[in-house]
Amino acid sequence: MKKHLIPILMILISISLWLIFYPQLPDQVPMQWGVDGSVNWSASKFIALFTNNGMYVLLYLIILFSPKIDPKKKNYQQFSRSYEIITYSVMGLFLLINLVTLFKSLGYPLQIHFFIPILVGLLLIIFGNYMQTIKPNWLFGIRTPWTLDNEEVWRKTHRLGARIFIILGFILITTPFISDQYVLPVTLISIFVGALIPIFYSYYLYQKLNKSGR
């Protein structure tokens, strides 16, 4: 029960603060911002409260119940500590995003385009540091047909993926400090390349091991 206390407390903090400040929120609450900090679209404050916190609760339910229905659920026992740290990190990130959204809507001079890339970058660095300890599963990690079918492919792909995630994390952390015109291209290219490399690498390893009869 203790391992569930912190995520549940985070959710309660988010919902409580949204309810406390709900009367002070404007009729339209920003829901998405561009790389320059401009608002792309807004929603009514009720929809904003329900959507932001509803997605938060749904995220935790997915994290909570996935190990119980995962075909590889026995593997979770082998990386329970890493799973717990990653869970806290993901839930912490979404709590901070919720709070930044809330207080930005209340008129506080928070720079969304500055905070969010740094927070996501830190999450990727944390995830990268624990990636090599994750055993095959259907929720966390680089889940391709080849990694899920072969534990050696999973292990070696995640060894490479750990380095890539850490590099991507540092790149995202630096984006708030570069010119706005370069933020989107740098972010998209980095994520695209960073996602493709482990996929192709896992396929290459799988084919190589199959040819060698392993």
Side-chain angles (χ1 to χ4, degrees), residues 36-52:
D36 60 350
S38 60
V39 178
N40 288 339
W41 65 280
S42 304
S44 69
K45 60 182 182 179
F46 174 77
I47 295 297
L49 182 152
F50 181 80
T51 301
N52 284 290

Side-chain angles (χ1 to χ4, degrees), residues 1 3 9 16 23 25 34 43 63 71 85 93 104 106 109-110 113 119 132 147 160 163 173 177 184 195-196 201 214:
M1 182 60 189
K3 65 181 179 181
L9 183 60
S16 298
L25 287 170
I63 293 174
I85 291 173
L93 169 67
K104 176 69 173 179
L106 290 168
L110 300 176
H113 63 295
L119 293 176
Q132 294 187 65
T147 56
L160 173 65
R163 298 183 177 93
I173 288 174
F177 303 99
L184 189 59
L196 284 181
Y201 183 65
R214 295 167 64 184

Side-chain angles (χ1 to χ4, degrees), residues 164-165 168 189-199:
I164 292 174
F165 270 60
L168 285 178
I189 291 173
S190 299
I191 293 175
F192 184 72
V193 173
L196 284 181
I197 290 175
I199 292 174

Side-chain angles (χ1 to χ4, degrees), residues 13-14 17-18 21 25 29-33 37 52 92-120:
I13 290 172
S14 177
L17 288 174
W18 273 86
F21 291 104
L25 287 170
V29 172
M31 297 290 286
Q32 186 184 61
W33 289 266
N52 284 290
L93 169 67
F94 275 80
L95 172 62
L96 291 173
I97 291 176
N98 254 350
L99 297 186
V100 168
T101 301
L102 173 63
F103 288 108
K104 176 69 173 179
S105 302
L106 290 168
Y108 288 84
L110 300 176
Q111 301 297 320
I112 294 290
H113 63 295
F114 181 84
F115 284 107
I116 300 303
I118 292 177
L119 293 176
V120 174

Side-chain angles (χ1 to χ4, degrees), residues 117-128:
I118 292 177
L119 293 176
V120 174
L122 289 173
L123 179 65
L124 289 176
I125 292 171
I126 293 171
F127 195 58

